[in-house]
Amino acid sequence: MTAAAVENMEHKKARAEEANLLLEGLDEVTQKALYIATKMVLAKRDTEEGTKKS
């Protein structure tokens, strides 16, 4: 892997760890709502990317 790729992965890992810490401070219902909303956003992005490739 290139140094830039490793740096990018480390940045993403740090962001994920930060997000997990923030999530721990939320109540269960809010965590579930955020999870569902995130899945919807990612699914929309995947759909849009798939449409662009076609």
Side-chain angles (χ1 to χ4, degrees), residues 4-37:
V6 170
E7 185 177 330
N8 186 32
M9 287 177 57
E10 289 174 354
H11 177 73
K12 286 182 179 182
K13 182 179 176 186
R15 296 287 292 179
E17 289 172 356
E18 182 180 359
N20 284 333
L21 288 174
L22 292 171
L23 278 173
E24 289 174 6
L26 302 175
D27 62 50
E28 186 177 349
V29 172
T30 306
Q31 286 181 15
K32 288 179 181 180
L34 184 57
Y35 174 81
I36 291 167

